């Protein structure tokens, strides 16, 4: 007997602007995120009726308030759905503010072979001109595409890899870009046109490596290099018991002499440090001065990477 082809798409809702409401339809700023449930979002996108769907509300929050416990619940929910033979893939509705961090977290923890696609909106569900419904429909077509695999973000018709996507504009509907301009695919009228292929993901570290519900996670902070950076903030954070530091350096991860020395002292005291860049693109090369590079990871993704390292997982190769 021939086995049935997986065709079920599971949509996991986490809130965000895509599920937001404003008092007036012309208000795209003064809204409250995470007000509409995922079932209602699905019902508002007629094109989704052509897909076989299931939905689950994992969280209902503004993604600026995303936290580690929600990440854990989301990872467990995604993992559970991907083990089902009938599930083609998972679509996650999310807020735009931290979608790039959640995507990278799921990429490192699960490294799924099936597609896991995150989508979002820059305008609330009550806006005059919506972007959320089209983004959800595009994301469903992407999940359903035979070539789709791994964690991706699909917004404004563009598809980005989890380790490359970043929010680059505060307000525009097309607010996202790929680091160094990388785009995996475009979704055009329900058709996915692949432009490049994502690099193989890391080995899955698995959800068992995550702290249990309610347990403490490592404390990691991001500091910035700038004119007259004196390293005082680093010393204060070390005094407060920080376990990891990501520094967003200038250019190729360059640092003022005082900030660099403070970070070297922190590292010598047992604090793990990664050196990234505040530039929008480009990797950080190793410079032999003792502070390891975060490679091509943005500061927020380097923070996720360092978080997972402190939980005892191997670094991304």
């Amino acid at each position: 007997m021939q086995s049935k082809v997986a065709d079920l798409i599971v949509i996991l809702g986490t809130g965000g602007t895509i599920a937001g409401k404003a008092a007036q339809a012309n208000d795209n700023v003064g809204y409250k995120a995470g007000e509409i449930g995922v079932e209602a979002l699905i019902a508002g996108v007629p094109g989704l009726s052509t897909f076989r769907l299931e939905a689950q509300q994992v969280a209902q929050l503004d993604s600026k308030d995303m936290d580690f416990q929600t990440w854990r619940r989301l990872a467990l929910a995604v993992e559970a759905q991907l083990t089902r033979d009938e599930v083609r893939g998972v679509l996650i509705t999310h807020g735009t503010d931290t979608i790039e961090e959640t995507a990278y977290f799921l990429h490192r923890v699960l490294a799924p072979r099936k597609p896991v696609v995150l989508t979002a909106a820059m305008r609330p569900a009550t806006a005059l001109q919506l972007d959320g419904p089209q983004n959800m429909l595009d994301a469903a077509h992407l999940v359903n595409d035979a070539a789709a695999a791994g964690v991706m973000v699909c917004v404004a018709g563009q598809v980005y890899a989890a380790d490359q996507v970043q929010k680059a504009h505060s307000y525009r509907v097309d607010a996202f870009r790929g680091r160094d301009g990388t785009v995996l695919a475009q979704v055009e009228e329900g058709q996915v046109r692949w432009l490049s292929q994502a690099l193989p993901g890391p080995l899955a570290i698995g959800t068992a490596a995550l702290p249990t519900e309610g347990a403490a996670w490592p404390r990691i902070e991001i500091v910035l290099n700038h004119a007259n950076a004196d390293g005082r903030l680093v010393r204060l954070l070390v005094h407060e018991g920080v376990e990891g530091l990501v520094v967003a350096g200038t250019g190729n991860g360059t640092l003022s002499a005082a900030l660099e020395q403070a970070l070297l002292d922190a590292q010598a005291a047992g604090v793990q440090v990664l050196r990234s860049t505040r530039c929008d693109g480009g990797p950080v090369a190793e410079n032999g001065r003792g502070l390891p590079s975060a490679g091509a990871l943005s500061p927020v993704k380097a923070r996720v990477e360092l978080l997972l390292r402190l939980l005892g997982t191997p670094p991304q190769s």
Side-chain angles (χ1 to χ4, degrees), residues 66-145:
M66 182 57 68
D67 55 58
F68 294 152
Q69 296 302 330
T70 303
W71 271 359
R72 180 180 182 275
R73 289 195 298 273
L74 182 59
L76 288 169
V78 173
E79 183 179 55
Q81 295 300 337
L82 294 181
T83 61
R84 299 169 60 192
D85 291 340
E86 67 271 30
V87 171
R88 164 64 194 149
V90 173
L91 192 165
I92 301 169
T93 59
H94 200 285
T96 61
D97 283 348
T98 56
I99 193 171
E100 61 198 86
E101 295 168 68
T102 299
Y104 186 70
F105 175 78
L106 294 173
H107 167 72
R108 286 285 282 118
V109 172
L110 300 177
R113 294 185 179 274
K114 292 181 179 180
V116 175
V117 178
L118 292 85
T119 194
M122 291 296 291
R123 292 173 177 167
T126 50
L128 291 171
Q129 290 186 312
L130 300 175
D131 56 327
Q134 186 65 59
N135 287 346
M136 286 184 69
L137 186 58
D138 287 347
H141 283 296
L142 177 59
V143 171
N144 205 45
D145 189 83

Side-chain angles (χ1 to χ4, degrees), residues 196-265:
S196 60
Q197 187 174 4
L199 294 174
L203 293 175
I205 66 171
T207 54
L210 303 180
T212 57
E213 184 75 26
W217 292 55
R219 182 182 174 189
I220 303 164
E221 302 292 347
I222 299 174
V223 295
L224 181 74
N225 190 50
H226 49 77
N228 201 46
D230 60 9
R232 186 181 305 177
L233 180 57
V234 170
R235 292 190 289 275
L236 288 171
L237 287 169
V238 172
H239 179 73
E240 289 294 316
V242 73
E243 296 166 74
L245 288 169
V246 172
V247 58
T250 39
N252 182 34
T254 55
L255 306 170
S256 72
L259 179 58
E260 183 176 59
Q261 187 58 56
L263 288 164
L264 287 168
D265 292 343

Side-chain angles (χ1 to χ4, degrees), residues 18 48 51 90-96 99-100 102-104 115-122 131-145 148-167 173-178 182-194:
I18 196 170
L48 288 177
F51 296 92
V90 173
L91 192 165
I92 301 169
T93 59
H94 200 285
T96 61
I99 193 171
E100 61 198 86
T102 299
Y104 186 70
V116 175
V117 178
L118 292 85
T119 194
M122 291 296 291
D131 56 327
Q134 186 65 59
N135 287 346
M136 286 184 69
L137 186 58
D138 287 347
H141 283 296
L142 177 59
V143 171
N144 205 45
D145 189 83
V151 182
M152 296 167 282
V153 172
C154 179
V155 282
Q158 305 282 81
V159 180
Y160 305 101
D163 60 343
Q164 292 290 310
V165 65
Q166 58 188 143
K167 188 173 180 178
V173 171
D174 59 337
F176 287 82
R177 68 182 289 275
T182 52
V183 178
L184 292 182
Q186 294 174 339
V187 185
E188 300 158 338
E189 299 300 323
Q191 300 297 313
V192 181
R193 179 162 62 95
W194 294 95

Side-chain angles (χ1 to χ4, degrees), residues 17 21-22 24-33 122-124 127 170-171:
T17 296
K21 279 185 177 181
Q24 303 293 330
N26 62 350
D27 187 355
N28 292 328
V29 178
Y31 59 87
K32 186 174 181 182
M122 291 296 291
R123 292 173 177 167
S170 63
Y171 187 75

